[in-house]
Structure formats: C-alpha cells, structure tokens
Amino acid sequence: MKLYCLSGHPTLPCNVLKFKSTTIMLDCGLDTTSVLNFLPLPLVHSPRLSKLPGWVSKDGTINLEKELKECAGRVFVDSQPEFCLPERELLDLSNIDVILISNYHCMMALPYITEHTGFTGTVYATEPTLQIGRLLMEEVVNFMERVPKAQSATCWKNKEIQRMLPGPLKDAVDVWTWKRCYSMQEVNSALSKVQLVGYSQKVELFGAVQISPLSSGYSLGSSNWIIQSHHEKVSYVSGSSLLTTHPQPMDQSSLKNSDVLILTGLTQMPTANPDGMLGEFCSNLAMTIRAGGNVLVPCYSSGVIYDLLECLYQFIESANLGTTPFYFISPVANSSLEFSQIFAEWLCHNKQSKVYLPEPPFPHAELIQTNKLKHYPSIHGDFSSEFRQPCVVFTGHPSLRFGDVVHFMELWGKSGLNTIIFTEPDFSYLDALAPYQPLAMKCVYCPIDTRLNFHQVSKLLKEVQPLHVVCPEQYTQPPLTQSHRSDLMLELQPPPMPYRRCSVLNLPFRRRYERVYIMPELANSLVPSEIKPGISVATVSAVVHSKDNKHTLQSVPKPPPVAPSKKRKRVMDEPPVVLAPKPLLSGAVPLEAFLATLQKHGITEVKVEETADGHILHLQAEDTLIQLEEDGTHIVCDNNEPLRTTLRDLVLRFLQKL
Amino acid sequence: MPEINVTPLGAGQDVGRSCILVSIGGKNIMLDCGMHMGYNDDRRFPDFSYITQNGRLTDFLDCVIISHFHLDHCGALPYMSEMVGYDGPIYMTHPTKAICPILLEDFRKITVDKKGETNFFTSQMIKDCMKKVVPLNLHQTVQVDDELEIKAYYAGHVLGAAMVHIKVGSESVVYTGDYNMTPDRHLGAAWIDKCRPDILISESTYATTIRDSKRCRERDFLKKVHESIERGGKVLIPVFALGRAQELCILLETFWERMNLKAPIYFSTGLTEKANHYYKLFITWTNQKIRKTFVQRNMFEFKHIKAFDRSYADNPGPMVVFATPGMLHAGQSLQIFKKWAGNEKNMVIMPGYCVQGTIGHKILNGQRKLEMEGRATLDVKLQVEYMSFSAHADAKGIMQLIRMAEPRNMLLVHGEAAKMEFLKGKIEQEFSIDCYMPANGETATVTTNPSVPVDISLNLLKREMALGGPLPDPKRPRTMHGTLIMKENSLKLVSSEQALKELGLNEHQLRFTCRVQLQDPHSDPDTLHRIYTHLKSVLKGYTIQHLPDGTVMVESIVIKVSSSAEDSNAKVLLLSWSYQDEDLGSFLSTLLKKGLPSGLC
C-alpha cells in the first residue's frame, strides 16, 4: 500500500492512495497562494495600478518592464493570476479510479485533474460539497473572465531570469507548471463526474474496497473518509472541526480502529481562538461604522460568512447598527445564501429543528427580508445606484487579487476612516495588501479557522488510537515563526510519518486475511471436530470462484464417471486422481488403547519392544512392524495391502486431522 | 435453515393502516404504522395484540420505520407508541418527521374535536411520540444495533417518501412503502440499487394498471377546472394543509402560466406561507427540474395563487379556491361550500379520501340534500368531482423496480387481493421467483440460504490463485484445501500447516514402508533406472526424480533398490511414503508388484 503526495499545502491536500487493487485520490486541493505574486485585476481601470513602474534589474541587463511591475518595493507579475497545481508527474493520473472530496475548499483543482489527465473514474462528494464547490468555482471563473488580460507573462518564468528576480518571486517553485484558471465548460464537465453520497453511506469500489464519508463538522457537507476492506482500515481526516458552528458535528467514533490515519487540514491559525476573533471582528466593525467609516470584509462566498452573518444578526441591534447597510457582493451571493437554507440534513441539530417549524435554518434569511442585508452579483448594475455609506461589504476574493474586493481596495484604501477586516486564514494579510501599499485604511487581522488545533487533534488521536499516523511534514515541527512552541506540533508514539510534495510513502500494512464466502452447500458438508474446548476445526476442500474481487468457496464438483473406453484393461494402470490431499495429522497414538484395538480386529500376537522414543510393535503372524512414537508412526508392511490399509485406519482413529 | 417471516397487521390484501412486521435474523421490525380511513372503530388501527397480549411493545420490536407522512402509513403511530407503549427508535426521513406531526394533529382535531370521539391520542402524545423519532438521510447506512442496519432510498410518492433496505448479516429485506417510478410535477422517480434482497415487499395499489394514469388524471382535473372557469363558475378544492395541496398548486400555477388565464386562484389562510415553506426548505427532495432552478425561481413561491379572504367568496366571476380542511367537515372549506353549493355552474373537487360522516363523504356518495345544524337543509346543485392524485407505481413500474433490485422473493401488500393475484402471476412468470401476498395476520415465511463469511489467510488464497495461473480457466477450477478454525465467533480458513501452528499442536507423521520383490536381471543401478523410465511413462504430470544417491523420488515417495545376497536377479524395492501421499504410495506399490515391462531399456 502506497501514498503519493501531490500537494505540499497541508490544508489544500491532494494525495493518492493505492489500496488493494484500487487507486484513490484523496482531495484535489488547489494552492491559490501563488496568485499573491500577481498584480490585482481591477474591475474598472485603475490609474494607480497602470502607472506602476516596470521592473528592470539593477545592472540593467534584464528588462521585464512589460511583465513585472514594482509597488512599494515588491515586484508583481502583470498577468492573469495563475494557480499552483497538484503534482502531475509523480504517477500516471489516468489510472485513478476514484477521487474522494472532503469539502468544497479541497476540490478546486478538480477540472485540471479530470479534464486533462485522461481521468475516466468517478468523483465522490456530498451534495452540499458539490453544490457549494460549484459556486466557488463559478465565482473564480467569473472573477477572471470578466476582466480578461490580453497578455500572458511568461518570460519571468525562464529559470535563468527567475534566479535574478527579487524575492518572493525568486523562490517560487515550479512556476512553469502554474496554470491559468479553467473555464466554466471545464468546471461543468468535471462536476458531471461527481457521484453524490450521504454521510455513513457505504460505497463498494470494485468489490475490493469500501469507502464511506463521515461528518467532519467543518463546513456544510464536509466529510472525512473511511477506506476499508474487511481487514484493513484507512481513515482520511481532512478539515475537521469540533466547534459548534453550523455544520453537523464531527463523527469521531467511526474513525476508531484504523490501521493508518492520514491527517490533513488542521487549523492554519493554531494560536488564534475563533470565538475571540469573532468578538474582535464585531467590535472593530462597530467602531469603524460609528466613526463614519466603511468596513471591507474579504471572504469566500460560503462557509465562515454564514457564521459571521449569524453573529452580526445577534449583534446589530445591541450595537445600534440597525440602519447600517450590509452588502454581500459576489456572482454567487444569492445562490450561496439560498443553498445554505436547503441543506437541513447537513446542519447541526439546532438548525435542523428550525426546519421542522418550518423556519429557515440560518437567520440571514431574516436579514435579507428586513433589508438589512442586500446581495448583488457585482458592483455594476443595481449596486452602484443603491449603495449607501458608511456600510459593511462582504466580497471576494480573499487574496485581494481579483473579484470585486479589488475595487473597494482602490476606493477605500486612501482613507484612514475605513477598515479592512481579514477573516479568512488562507492568505497572509501582509502579502495580500502588498500591491496596495501605501495604504491609509486600517487593517485588522482576525483569522477565523475552525479546523482542529493541535490540542484537539492529540486528544482525538488518543481516543481513536490509529496504529499509524501520516501527516504533512509541517505538522511534525513547530511553526517557523514560533520555533519554541513545541505544543504547536504533533507528538505521537510511534512518531507520525511525514510527507511533503512529491513524497511516496510505503504505508506500514501487513495484509494477512481476506474475506471469502463459503456457499451454503459446502458449509453444510463440513464436518467440524472439537480439538480443544471451544475450538473446532474442519478440513475444507473447495473450488475458489473469484468474481469482481469477491471470492466464494464452492463444493468440488464430483468428477464425471470415466467413460468406458477400449483401453479398459489399462484402467488400473492410471495413476490416482487426487481430489483432496490428505490432511495433516496431530496427536499421538496411545500404546494400550492401540493394542486393544488391534486385538478387537483379530491381531493378537503382538510383541512390544520398548525403544528410546517409544515402542516397536511386531505383529508376528503378519510379519509387520509398527513403530509408535510421540510425533510419528511408521508402518512397515510388505505385500499385504488389505492389512496395511486396516492398520492405517486404526492408527488414524487416534489422530486429529487438520 | 434461517428464515424471514413477514406478517402484515394492516395492508395485507388491503389498502389502509399499513403495518407490516418483519422478523429477520432474530430482529423484529415494524414497517409503517398507519390507520384505516374507512373505519371509525377498533379496526381503524392495526391489531397490536398480535405482537403481545400484555401491553408494551418495546421488548418485542427492535425498531419502527415509517415510509412517508400519509396517515394510512403513520396515523397509528402515537397510538402505538404512547397508548400501547413503545419506547424504541422510530425512523423516518427529515421531511416526514417535519410534516407527519402536523397531519396527525389535523386528523386528531377532526376525530376528537369535531366528531367528539374519546379514546384517541392527544396533542401531547403526538409530541411525545415525535421525540422518539430518529431522522434518516437518504443512502445513509444506519446501524440500529450491532447487527441490524437500515438504508433509505428515494421513493417519489410524496415529499420525503422513502423505501428502506433492512439488513442483518447477509439476509435482507426491502420495503417500498408507496412509490412512484415516473417523475411527476414536483417529485423525482424512485430508485434503488441492485441490492438483491431476500424479499422485496412492494405496494401494489395499481397492480393491474399499465401506463401511468397520473398524467391522465391531471389532464382531467385541469380540463374540469378550466371548463368551469370558462363558464364563469367557481371551483372549490378542499385540501389538507400539506401534500396534495402543494402538488395541485404547482399544477394550476403552471397551467395558468401556460394558458395565460386571468381568473384568480386563492389559498385559504393559515396554510399558504407556512406549508409552502416546508417544500422550499426540503427542495433537495423534489425533482431535478425544481432543484436546478430553485435559486432563480422557487416553484413553491406561487405567482398566481394569492391568500384568500373570507369576503372574496361573494365576489362575482370565476375563481378557484383551495380551502382547508380536506373533508368538508368544518372550517373555511365548509363555509365556502355552503355559499356555493346552490349554483350548478360551480364545482367542488375532492382530491382525496373522505371519512364516513363528513359532508365530503356524503356528497361523494351522491347525496344531494344535506341536513345542516338547526334543521336547515342544503340543496347541493354544484358539480361534485372526485379525483385521486396519489402517485403510485403501476404494474410496469413494479416490474421495473423488481428488475432494479433483483429480489429472490417478492411479497405484495397495499392492494386489492384480486389485483394482487394477477400481478403475482405475472411476476412469477416473468422473473421465476416466488411471490407472496399474505392477508392481515397471516405470516409469509421465506427460508434463506446465506453463505458463511470466513476470513481466509492471504497466503492460502494467494497460493491457490497462483496455482490457477494468472487468468481463471473455467475448465480447470481452482481447488483449495485448508483447515477451518472455529473459535468463538471467528471463522478462519488457513493452510493445515498454519492451523497446526496457530493451535499449538505438533504434527504426527504417519509413514508407510513396503518391500516389493521383483525379478529383474540387471544391475541395481540399471534396475533403478528402468523403474525411473517406467514410472515416467506411466505417471504423467508428476515430479519424478532420479537422484544421484541411488533413489528415485516420485513426489515425496522414496524408492530404493537392493538385490538379495543369493540371487542378484531377485531385487527388493523399498518404497516409503507418508500419509499425505497415501493414494500415490498405494498405487505405486501395486504397480511395481506387477513387475517392469520388458521393453524398457
């Protein structure tokens, strides 16, 4: 059993597991941090961005002013932002049988894999994961396609040139494999390969392996996966949460008894408490509004935003923000808000019971109804005429490189009254802000990451006790910036097996048993004998039928009667057809009892001679020797086949057959 | 031999009070717990005394599963759980869990508040009963206990309707509840995977109907409404808050849209918003088309259908009004009915069943003069139409489901005996499987023949696989030999050697030695070689070796030659073999006794 690691990003994993005869891709995460190296894509022409100076190396030998622009001491690529894809050279991706998706953030690379590698398999995901994942993909495609860039920068990727560039561009890896965003057509084609599954649904793969998604508590429809056969179990834990937010709670007990547990998607903010961050978010928001400023919240259009809106719903009145307009701007804003209300089955108990009343599970329905929250597909159209300040705007993309957020950065960045509040943990906020410097607006960093922290995960592992843990190497040492914090790493016995991008791990598995089914007819013909108290054995001779990786044992068919042939005379010369080999024997032949048995069969003249290891019985009338020992019996008998077989059967009476 | 018993307490050769007991692998499961709408006495509920005479059922049932919210499938639930007594788990889907208590409460009100019956469950009992409900998700495998697992499949019929697969070990039963194999205006078609249950328990309401008659009934309904509106009449449709009401609304809404009709459609108060809300929140349970478009346009937000005000009833001109309750026994629907009954241009359409004693029941039976409170009589001049809108699988659909699930036996419930008989014949003929149709209280027994799961050591399995070559050869079945160790509950199949080791036993060698006298005028080595050549020609496919130490080995049988001191032509062959080679050893000694053929060199 092997694990191929195609992504180096611990929260956006992409691994391939070879288990029995199946090849299973676990998640298909897209590392989007690469876009931070690019210049933002403004929705409306930005004089500031267009006036940025081009980059020329200090000695003037390299001139890339068309491709690279300089802003506040950093160099950015002026081209459509590109993503860092999962590794595609480590193994032949066309052999992948299935892809298991754990949550909607971990499927963004799907079109690159399913559409361009010869993939012919099936993708498994829950319904919310599929629907919301589709929205997130649609959003990114929309962000990119509505501001097409004519030129595509490639010169800077030349190895010789890249070496000469200032950091962090100089240190970016595999830039040649970076790719532009896919098209909506590719998204649709990729998602048409998704097969929906429900929590705890058992899905058979080729009869060899069973997969089953479990609630992971992180987002709507998010799941961990169990991949098991009758005797081996691999758990794949990705993006799980124990906090009570909107999703169904995490199913922990089903992870028990794993041989291997693959652990990814821990919190990226191990030192930030989500509740505290939520409080800080609210108070900074209220402070800015009261001072007459605007608040910009760069965010994804699904996930934490539901919790932020719910928190604000409770907070608005008490903070006297009842008249402040809240705007949610995204091409998929409406869909995201609508979809969140129809997945009752996937929500926490509290929200589920609301549906029985019937009320919408999320209070943002009420915010919309009372006109406190308004949503728009983009800043163009209705928004521009209805827009009032001061206000709060939720919009994407959290990298600040594309989407409507770019416009608000240009619009509000120059005023110290305004505040940008970062809640998404995926991007370093300093890097995100770099191309907007110098900036007068206030920046508040309250990353909310509800995924498991190190304390929670070690408690979880203690509970579920996997034999082996596999995890990204980042989890086996403290973060670079906090190297003294040994509590911010995994310490396990045996130590976890670390992986990095392009690792191939041999998973420590010893498969020893396989499930077979004995057909009723054969089962009825078995003759068990008790060999020790409570333990019985039976010898089995059977025909193995293997179909779809399932094995059944059936009775050995009786050989057809020998057709009468002309060579009948020679039939005796034919060697015996052995249907079943003789069983192994165990036990010992007790002398007295054996003698008594011989007597019963008319063999009376027996001379017993004692030897070092047992006895030699001399059957005088028959001129036959029987050597009885603790671990063996030897019958020496000439020219008397009937006698030999009788003796054989008498000896066998005393022995156990296996 | 293990067996599965199925006993209907209701719905056996009948429609109404569905309640089917299944005992499988030592587990007892109750499927549905409905009431019979045709009776007002004890026969209204299933006869739970069949399960036990002394009251509570908790000890006798492992779980109860409700397929959907129709009262003939869940109407007796509070009676069973709270009045007879059952505290175990009750499984139903989320929409059923949401809607079922509302319908139960509706029905309770009619029976108790309006008809004054006592000995009926109370509102509190409905609430207590619902607390015992565990919601089911589609396709989720729910482990009721260590052995019993259930899994729900989409059934179509009504919002949240489910079929359920019940499995204990390798035995299983599928219960369909009511289902629909063709998608309709708001729901999708039933689907199940090839789960090969031992028994498929199917409804058979439309056992003899071929062709989906629902489309026809819909067309009929629309035609009647349309005609009535055209001639300026008013149409009253008495409905219950949930279920059929929404379905008919969608039907009229799309019809109005298509035909560009202007006559107003009203929905009586109290149920519009709220009831439609259930449908909006459970949109994932509707059909593909509605689900796909719900963000742009939610099918349950009606453009043409507006809230009704009591004053509208006197407005001139045509209109359509949906009003509660569904059997014209009280409330708004009755008030409107009284107003409109005198005009023959008007129409009332009863889209569902009516209990005896209600006005709905009376007019459906053709009564044209009704006695009202205070000795007044009401002349019924308007048109009265009955239309059943329930969505059930027709004969074709039932056959289709059998093809999908591939059951080993079939069992029909929820239908009329004569029609069942017809379908039973068809099923037995087409699928060559047994088909049962027990009456209420009658038990159908099916013996199952489960295979025995065993853990085989991979070494043993691989050894056998290797013997068979890389590809299975149908002419040479791969036989394997091993020892089955039965210890507590585990069954392990290992090689005999491994079995000895695992059980801590030592092997006992049984050997045989046999001397054979032979006349052969050759030197000893030559004789040995002659034996070797002879055996080579006789024993095809065996390993025969001529070893340098002066022995011939056939498999593991040792053959040695010596000559007697007196006569060097009289040879003595010494054969020695172990018990494992008994057949071959015995054969060889007999063979060699006959001497060597002369033609050997």
Side-chain angles (χ1 to χ4, degrees):
Chain A
M1 186 175 325
K2 277 188 172 171
L3 187 72
Y4 299 78
C5 310
L6 311 186
S7 162
H9 197 301
T11 26
L12 297 166
C14 184
N15 295 315
V16 175
L17 176 72
K18 288 206 175 190
F19 184 21
K20 287 179 92 177
S21 51
T22 59
T23 307
I24 302 172
M25 179 178 271
L26 305 169
D27 275 333
C28 207
L30 183 64
D31 188 347
T32 47
T33 49
S34 55
V35 303
L36 293 175
N37 295 299
F38 292 78
L39 218 52
L41 285 181
L43 268 178
V44 280
H45 178 74
S46 157
R48 185 187 72 86
L49 286 174
S50 56
K51 275 187 213 138
L52 288 178
W55 181 82
V56 182
S57 66
K58 274 190 194 125
D59 53 7
T61 51
I62 308 171
N63 183 339
L64 286 178
E65 50 186 6
K66 284 245 166 62
E67 292 198 350
L68 303 178
K69 305 281 177 192
E70 229 173 328
C71 176
R74 287 207 23 193
V75 174
F76 297 93
V77 182
D78 185 13
S79 177
Q80 199 185 75
E82 294 178 340
F83 304 123
C84 176
L85 271 51
E87 183 58 45
R88 284 173 300 170
E89 304 297 320
L90 196 59
L91 79 164
D92 184 357
L93 295 180
S94 67
N95 289 337
I96 287 172
D97 298 311
V98 297
I99 303 179
L100 311 183
I101 302 295
S102 53
N103 63 66
Y104 47 74
H105 287 301
C106 292
M107 63 189 284
M108 299 301 276
L110 208 52
Y112 295 116
I113 303 296
T114 60
E115 303 311 297
H116 300 289
T117 60
F119 173 80
T120 54
T122 310
V123 182
Y124 288 94
T126 62
E127 185 165 10
T129 299
L130 170 67
Q131 301 298 3
I132 297 174
R134 181 195 294 280
L135 295 183
L136 294 184
M137 288 179 174
E138 204 181 306
E139 186 182 42
V140 174
V141 172
N142 192 300
F143 283 159
M144 296 290 186
E145 285 183 352
R146 68 188 182 187
V147 274
K149 274 248 177 194
Q151 70 153 353
S152 182
T154 51
C155 294
W156 69 276
K157 290 183 178 179
N158 185 308
K159 256 192 196 136
E160 291 308 309
I161 296 175
Q162 197 202 349
R163 223 157 33 89
M164 312 295 287
L165 299 178
L169 269 186
K170 183 175 70 176
D171 309 314
V173 284
D174 292 337
V175 292
W176 276 107
T177 65
W178 289 10
K179 282 269 174 327
R180 289 172 149 227
C181 187
Y182 31 72
S183 68
M184 207 51 218
Q185 194 187 355
E186 288 167 309
V187 170
N188 287 331
S189 171
L191 296 184
S192 70
K193 295 169 177 122
V194 174
Q195 172 93 44
L196 295 182
V197 283
Y199 287 150
S200 306
Q201 180 177 347
K202 295 174 180 168
V203 180
E204 289 272 335
L205 298 186
F206 317 108
V209 174
Q210 193 185 62
I211 55 167
S212 184
L214 306 173
S215 176
S216 77
Y218 168 60
S219 61
L220 265 175
S222 70
S223 27
N224 293 322
W225 291 85
I226 300 289
I227 302 128
Q228 63 184 344
S229 63
H230 277 285
H231 295 282
E232 300 86 20
K233 177 170 173 180
V234 178
S235 297
Y236 174 58
V237 174
S238 165
S240 302
S241 177
L242 291 172
L243 297 180
T244 324
T245 58
H246 57 273
Q248 212 181 89
M250 178 181 178
D251 178 351
Q252 300 179 58
S253 58
S254 304
L255 298 172
K256 279 184 186 165
N257 303 321
S258 307
D259 297 286
V260 170
L261 187 145
I262 303 168
L263 180 68
T264 65
L266 298 184
T267 178
Q268 302 181 78
M269 296 294 143
T271 51
N273 170 356
D275 278 332
M277 290 292 134
L278 208 54
E280 222 167 287
F281 168 79
C282 286
S283 62
N284 277 296
L285 185 143
M287 218 147 56
T288 307
I289 296 290
R290 268 186 222 121
N294 298 297
V295 177
L296 179 61
V297 188
C299 62
Y300 292 113
S301 33
S302 181
V304 176
I305 184 167
Y306 303 143
D307 300 313
L308 292 179
L309 291 175
E310 180 154 8
C311 178
L312 288 172
Y313 170 79
Q314 292 154 359
F315 179 72
I316 284 174
E317 294 307 322
S318 64
N320 219 357
L321 297 173
T323 54
T324 311
F326 287 76
Y327 300 116
F328 177 18
I329 301 168
S330 155
V332 298
N334 184 25
S335 298
S336 166
L337 294 171
E338 289 284 341
F339 268 110
S340 66
Q341 305 287 20
I342 64 159
F343 292 125
E345 281 109 316
W346 309 87
L347 293 173
C348 64
H349 186 75
N350 260 344
K351 296 224 174 316
Q352 230 171 56
S353 43
K354 278 199 152 180
V355 176
Y356 298 145
L357 294 178
E359 277 170 22
F362 285 97
H364 54 240
E366 201 186 313
L367 288 176
I368 295 169
Q369 220 167 32
T370 54
N371 265 330
K372 289 189 174 112
L373 174 67
K374 292 186 175 182
H375 54 82
Y376 301 90
S378 89
I379 52 166
H380 300 300
D382 291 347
F383 176 71
S384 45
S385 55
E386 292 172 19
F387 167 56
R388 281 188 297 120
Q389 303 193 62
C391 63
V392 180
V393 169
F394 296 89
T395 188
H397 185 270
S399 64
L400 307 190
R401 290 303 179 273
F402 45 89
D404 300 276
V405 73
V406 176
H407 177 73
F408 288 98
M409 285 306 293
E410 297 290 332
L411 189 68
W412 291 344
K414 291 163 228 111
S415 163
L417 280 178
N418 301 328
T419 306
I420 178 170
I421 309 181
F422 290 89
T423 55
E424 301 288 354
D426 284 1
F427 301 93
S428 142
Y429 79 105
L430 288 175
D431 290 343
L433 290 172
Y436 299 97
Q437 299 294 359
L439 211 57
M441 116 198 267
K442 258 190 300 194
C443 299
V444 178
Y445 188 52
C446 329
I448 296 171
D449 195 333
T450 57
R451 285 173 276 216
L452 296 176
N453 61 33
F454 287 98
H455 174 70
Q456 291 166 325
V457 84
S458 48
K459 214 174 129 198
L460 172 74
L461 291 176
K462 236 173 243 161
E463 201 116 299
V464 304
Q465 298 210 315
L467 290 182
H468 300 277
V469 173
V470 177
C471 68
E473 61 176 357
Q474 288 92 330
Y475 298 161
T476 58
Q477 64 222 16
L480 280 176
T481 48
Q482 287 154 302
S483 53
H484 61 289
R485 293 285 298 267
S486 63
D487 58 326
L488 299 184
M489 61 179 277
L490 274 182
E491 275 187 290
L492 298 171
Q493 243 0 286
M497 301 171 67
Y499 73 78
R500 62 171 71 167
R501 191 177 168 108
C502 290
S503 296
V504 179
L505 302 185
N506 270 312
L507 298 184
F509 251 97
R510 282 212 48 210
R511 293 184 49 216
R512 295 180 55 202
Y513 285 97
E514 176 77 272
R515 180 55 60 96
V516 293
Y517 295 88
I518 299 187
M519 296 311 281
E521 188 200 348
L522 174 64
N524 289 336
S525 72
L526 297 180
V527 190
S529 60
E530 191 166 59
I531 211 148
K532 284 179 178 177
I535 302 176
S536 303
V537 297
T539 53
V540 179
S541 286
V543 179
V544 186
H545 284 270
S546 301
K547 194 179 159 193
D548 298 337
N549 287 314
K550 295 261 184 251
H551 311 288
T552 53
L553 300 184
Q554 299 184 354
S555 305
V556 180
K558 301 236 161 53
V562 182
S565 69
K566 286 171 194 162
K567 297 182 201 163
R568 193 185 244 163
K569 265 182 272 167
R570 296 203 55 207
V571 164
M572 259 310 285
D573 290 349
E574 294 293 323
V577 181
V578 182
L579 285 179
K582 297 288 181 225
L584 291 185
L585 304 173
S586 177
V589 181
L591 179 66
E592 293 308 320
F594 186 60
L595 287 175
T597 315
L598 284 178
Q599 196 143 25
K600 240 188 250 165
H601 284 77
I603 301 170
T604 45
E605 278 180 71
V606 181
K607 203 177 113 200
V608 180
E609 189 183 315
E610 201 156 321
T611 64
D613 301 316
H615 300 86
I616 291 179
L617 279 58
H618 190 192
L619 280 52
Q620 291 176 312
E622 295 82 5
D623 190 22
T624 290
L625 286 178
I626 301 174
Q627 195 177 343
L628 289 184
E629 282 174 10
E630 186 61 30
D631 58 355
T633 301
H634 193 169
I635 299 175
V636 184
C637 173
D638 301 337
N639 264 330
N640 193 346
E641 190 63 11
L643 173 67
R644 191 187 65 81
T645 48
T646 311
L647 291 176
R648 175 193 73 195
D649 294 340
L650 294 181
V651 169
L652 286 177
R653 280 191 196 180
F654 294 94
L655 297 172
Q656 292 158 335
K657 291 149 209 81
L658 289 163
Chain B
M1 205 68 99
E3 51 188 40
I4 304 174
N5 289 315
V6 181
T7 315
L9 297 186
Q13 304 181 2
D14 186 17
V15 178
R17 60 163 186 188
S18 282
C19 184
I20 296 133
L21 299 178
V22 171
S23 62
I24 171 173
K27 306 285 170 185
N28 297 313
I29 298 120
M30 180 186 282
L31 301 169
D32 278 337
C33 191
M35 64 163 61
H36 204 300
M37 300 293 229
Y39 297 116
N40 288 326
D41 51 21
D42 284 350
R43 288 172 296 174
R44 168 165 62 200
F45 294 135
D47 179 12
F48 297 113
S49 67
Y50 177 92
I51 302 171
T52 172
Q53 298 287 342
N54 358 317
R56 302 186 69 78
L57 305 174
T58 311
D59 294 341
F60 301 90
L61 293 175
D62 291 279
C63 74
V64 174
I65 302 168
I66 301 296
S67 64
H68 63 285
F69 62 63
H70 278 159
L71 289 174
D72 59 331
H73 292 261
C74 68
L77 197 57
Y79 171 75
M80 192 270 309
S81 74
E82 305 311 306
M83 296 172 80
V84 180
Y86 169 74
D87 299 321
I90 301 169
Y91 293 95
M92 54 177 83
T93 65
H94 285 271
T96 308
K97 185 183 171 188
I99 295 169
C100 164
I102 297 171
L103 296 186
L104 285 171
E105 180 59 30
D106 255 16
F107 197 76
R108 190 198 64 80
K109 273 193 198 142
I110 301 168
T111 327
V112 178
D113 299 356
K114 301 293 171 193
K115 288 162 65 188
E117 278 191 46
T118 51
N119 193 24
F120 208 74
F121 49 78
T122 64
S123 291
Q124 189 55 45
M125 285 176 182
I126 297 176
K127 284 186 190 129
D128 291 342
C129 167
M130 294 314 289
K131 281 182 195 148
K132 297 170 185 170
V133 171
V134 183
L136 267 181
N137 295 334
L138 283 184
H139 302 164
Q140 171 194 20
T141 308
V142 174
Q143 215 70 44
V144 176
D145 57 34
D146 285 347
E147 288 150 343
L148 174 60
E149 63 178 48
I150 58 177
K151 178 177 177 183
Y153 291 90
Y154 191 79
H157 188 63
V158 289
L159 195 76
M163 306 193 275
V164 50
H165 182 234
I166 300 145
K167 194 173 158 212
V168 181
S170 53
E171 297 171 273
S172 67
V173 169
V174 168
Y175 173 59
T176 63
D178 291 355
Y179 63 105
N180 186 10
M181 294 299 285
T182 45
D184 70 15
R185 263 163 224 285
H186 70 307
L187 298 169
W191 178 86
I192 195 162
D193 51 28
K194 210 178 277 312
C195 51
R196 298 194 176 93
D198 291 299
I199 310 178
L200 173 64
I201 305 174
S202 171
E203 64 134 325
S204 51
T205 322
Y206 294 150
T208 55
T209 323
I210 312 283
R211 268 256 159 117
D212 182 17
S213 43
K214 190 157 180 192
R215 292 263 149 177
C216 305
R217 275 176 284 141
E218 283 179 357
R219 212 173 314 130
D220 232 31
F221 168 78
L222 291 171
K223 203 173 135 214
K224 278 182 179 139
V225 173
H226 194 193
E227 280 169 3
S228 194
I229 295 293
E230 288 284 88
R231 63 169 181 257
K234 296 178 166 61
V235 180
L236 170 66
I237 308 171
V239 286
F240 280 108
L242 272 156
R244 211 141 294 152
Q246 282 70 29
E247 191 186 338
L248 293 179
C249 282
I250 293 186
L251 195 60
L252 282 189
E253 170 91 5
T254 38
F255 187 69
W256 250 237
E257 187 100 20
R258 186 154 52 93
M259 305 294 286
N260 200 16
L261 297 179
K262 293 286 178 279
I265 308 174
Y266 298 113
F267 214 125
S268 82
T269 43
L271 57 113
T272 34
E273 286 293 305
K274 197 178 162 191
N276 291 344
H277 231 104
Y278 279 112
Y279 282 78
K280 284 190 219 164
L281 294 173
F282 287 116
I283 212 100
T284 51
W285 287 80
T286 58
N287 70 27
Q288 194 115 38
K289 196 180 151 209
I290 296 184
R291 268 157 50 195
K292 255 199 164 144
T293 54
F294 93 103
V295 176
Q296 290 80 44
R297 180 161 192 274
N298 197 317
M299 275 299 261
F300 298 97
E301 272 161 23
F302 302 114
K303 265 202 280 182
H304 297 272
I305 302 172
K306 300 184 184 73
F308 182 72
D309 185 276
R310 144 194 323 232
S311 65
Y312 296 174
D314 298 320
N315 285 0
M319 66 174 85
V320 179
V321 176
F322 289 94
T324 52
M327 300 182 192
L328 282 183
H329 45 76
Q332 203 150 36
S333 62
L334 185 59
Q335 280 172 15
I336 300 170
F337 176 76
K338 282 184 199 161
K339 277 198 174 139
W340 294 357
N343 190 339
E344 62 276 356
K345 276 204 288 187
N346 296 343
M347 185 188 310
V348 60
I349 300 180
M350 308 296 299
Y353 180 84
C354 291
V355 170
Q356 224 167 26
T358 59
I359 291 187
H361 187 260
K362 285 177 190 154
I363 58 168
L364 280 181
N365 278 331
Q367 212 169 316
R368 285 283 154 178
K369 273 202 195 306
L370 299 172
E371 282 168 37
M372 307 312 270
E373 307 97 58
R375 255 181 267 151
T377 55
L378 182 67
D379 278 322
V380 181
K381 290 192 183 142
L382 51 47
Q383 283 186 55
V384 179
E385 298 287 347
Y386 173 74
M387 228 162 252
S388 162
F389 273 91
S390 47
H392 293 277
D394 60 356
K396 211 170 104 196
I398 296 170
M399 303 303 251
Q400 200 183 335
L401 188 79
I402 298 175
R403 236 165 271 132
M404 265 184 177
E406 290 190 3
R408 279 182 264 274
N409 294 279
M410 191 68 194
L411 193 147
L412 300 177
V413 294
H414 201 283
E416 292 161 34
K419 292 182 180 176
M420 278 185 184
E421 200 71 63
F422 173 80
L423 184 64
K424 173 178 145 82
K426 262 194 78 167
I427 291 170
E428 289 179 333
Q429 186 195 351
E430 191 168 335
F431 299 99
S432 316
I433 55 175
D434 286 333
C435 183
Y436 303 82
M437 41 176 282
N440 289 336
E442 216 172 83
T443 301
T445 301
V446 169
T447 48
T448 57
N449 216 355
S451 53
V452 183
V454 161
D455 296 331
I456 189 169
S457 107
L458 215 52
N459 290 338
L460 182 61
L461 184 67
K462 284 212 170 135
R463 193 160 81 192
E464 303 311 327
M465 304 260 262
L467 278 181
L471 289 170
D473 179 358
K475 281 182 192 157
R476 274 197 54 193
R478 301 174 311 186
T479 28
M480 67 122 262
H481 310 281
T483 303
L484 187 65
I485 306 177
M486 289 162 263
K487 197 162 138 191
E488 282 154 14
N489 285 327
S490 86
L491 291 174
K492 266 198 273 182
L493 185 56
V494 296
S495 63
S496 306
E497 296 84 3
Q498 197 184 338
L500 279 179
K501 224 189 274 172
E502 292 214 355
L503 296 169
L505 301 172
N506 50 350
E507 194 186 341
H508 187 98
Q509 291 275 356
L510 175 56
R511 283 198 77 80
F512 304 96
T513 299
C514 197
R515 269 171 301 189
V516 177
Q517 316 279 340
L518 199 69
Q519 282 296 322
D520 197 43
H522 294 276
S523 71
D524 291 358
D526 282 356
T527 304
L528 195 67
H529 188 75
R530 281 161 53 77
I531 291 171
Y532 172 72
T533 321
H534 177 49
L535 294 183
K536 261 282 199 211
S537 71
V538 175
L539 299 171
K540 297 262 156 53
Y542 287 82
T543 356
I544 305 172
Q545 294 164 284
H546 189 167
L547 298 175
D549 66 346
T551 56
V552 165
M553 290 266 290
V554 181
E555 301 289 328
S556 66
I557 299 172
V558 181
I559 305 173
K560 283 184 186 165
V561 177
S562 59
S563 39
S564 73
E566 307 93 67
D567 179 3
S568 64
N569 285 350
K571 308 286 183 191
V572 178
L573 306 189
L574 200 71
L575 272 78
S576 179
W577 68 91
S578 72
Y579 174 63
Q580 277 66 38
D581 277 320
E582 167 68 4
D583 291 333
L584 189 59
S586 164
F587 169 78
L588 281 184
S589 66
T590 320
L591 178 78
L592 290 174
K593 249 176 247 171
K594 292 181 199 156
L596 298 173
S598 49
L600 288 170
C601 52

